[in-house]
Amino acid sequence: MEFIKVTNYQDMSDKACAIMIEKINNLKNPVLGLATGSTPEGLYQKIIEQYKQGKVSFKDVTTFNLDEYVGLSREDVNSYYRYMQEKLFNHVDINLERVHLPNGTASDLAEECRMYDKQIEQAGRVDLQILGMGINGHIGFNEPGTPFNSRTHVVDLAASTLEANARFFPSLADVPTQAVTMGIATIMESKEILLLVSGEQKAEAIARLAEGEISEDFPASILRNHPNVTVVVDEGAMVKL
Ligand code: F6R
């Protein structure tokens, strides 16, 4: 696991953007794993800027997002599908047929999860997976206690995650309590992983990632066993190291 230390959120986003563009430009049919949340918003803004300047094209890019809320349709303002459209897809030349997010309204969610893993496999696996990290070490929506061998599955969201995500909803009671998430084993099969971490609220989690034991109690710790992980971390998130 390689740590790249940067000054602040902007620098983290710039560095992540450079890594992502290099990956897209060097592969014939790049497969990207994408995340939502606050962390990658700056990255997506930078990528759009670079796209507008002709530095990158999404024409041949396939994407798989990490997760989606159960019960929210694609059109719902709080769905991750909508987030991805607004923050990235609507602004670049991506073919929407190559865009994949779990369908949180599928009538058979277990089948949806199986299909999602199969689609990732058929696409030749993820070349570069972007990850953020929860304050409890979750990756995707794999909360503490999730088996390291898990595939894409339905999860009950932890109380701390519901509280953290309530800022996007009218009230805490409106936050969906379940999500579909890529499993930890699915994430670990990505060829390369880029974990982005910014801000003091993540300082404890970064310290645990860097120095704690590898345990299902702290899902992100498994990344230490992956051969190709880069962590771009800013000064705020490093105050406890
Ligand atoms: C989002 C996701 C989550 C977030 C994590 C951090 O698709 O899978 O694991 O990356 O909750 O969220 P932010 O970036 O909002 O701090």
Side-chain angles (χ1 to χ4, degrees), residues 35-57:
T36 55
S38 302
T39 307
E41 281 189 27
L43 158 65
Y44 297 149
Q45 274 166 19
K46 304 264 170 199
I47 283 268
I48 293 166
E49 280 165 29
Q50 297 295 305
Y51 165 75
K52 287 184 175 154
Q53 291 171 25
K55 306 265 173 57
V56 65
S57 164

Side-chain angles (χ1 to χ4, degrees), residues 131-231:
L131 290 182
M133 174 169 65
I135 50 175
N136 62 1
H138 74 227
I139 48 175
F141 272 135
N142 295 288
E143 300 286 11
T146 306
F148 282 156
N149 64 2
S150 56
R151 317 294 315 182
T152 298
H153 63 290
V154 177
V155 284
D156 294 327
L157 301 179
S160 63
T161 304
L162 296 178
E163 277 162 33
N165 290 5
R167 66 191 192 277
F168 300 110
F169 291 83
S171 78
L172 181 59
D174 295 301
V175 187
T177 54
Q178 289 190 311
V180 176
T181 182
M182 260 191 216
I184 294 182
T186 319
I187 293 171
M188 287 292 282
E189 281 171 7
S190 308
K191 295 170 199 168
E192 185 174 344
I193 293 176
L194 179 60
L195 172 64
L196 308 178
V197 189
S198 166
E200 269 191 53
Q201 74 281 11
K202 301 281 173 73
E204 193 84 51
I206 271 289
R208 230 174 135 180
L209 175 70
E211 292 157 2
E213 59 172 25
I214 297 176
S215 148
E216 288 177 356
D217 291 339
F218 192 76
S221 61
I222 190 67
L223 299 175
R224 298 226 304 260
N225 285 347
H226 190 285
N228 196 354
V229 177
T230 304
V231 186

Side-chain angles (χ1 to χ4, degrees), residues 13 15 24 36 48-49 73 75-76 98 105 129 187 204 208 210 222:
S13 305
K15 185 71 204 165
I24 294 174
T36 55
I48 293 166
E49 280 165 29
S73 70
E75 294 74 34
D76 192 293
R98 293 183 193 233
T105 60
Q129 174 66 57
I187 293 171
E204 193 84 51
R208 230 174 135 180
I222 190 67

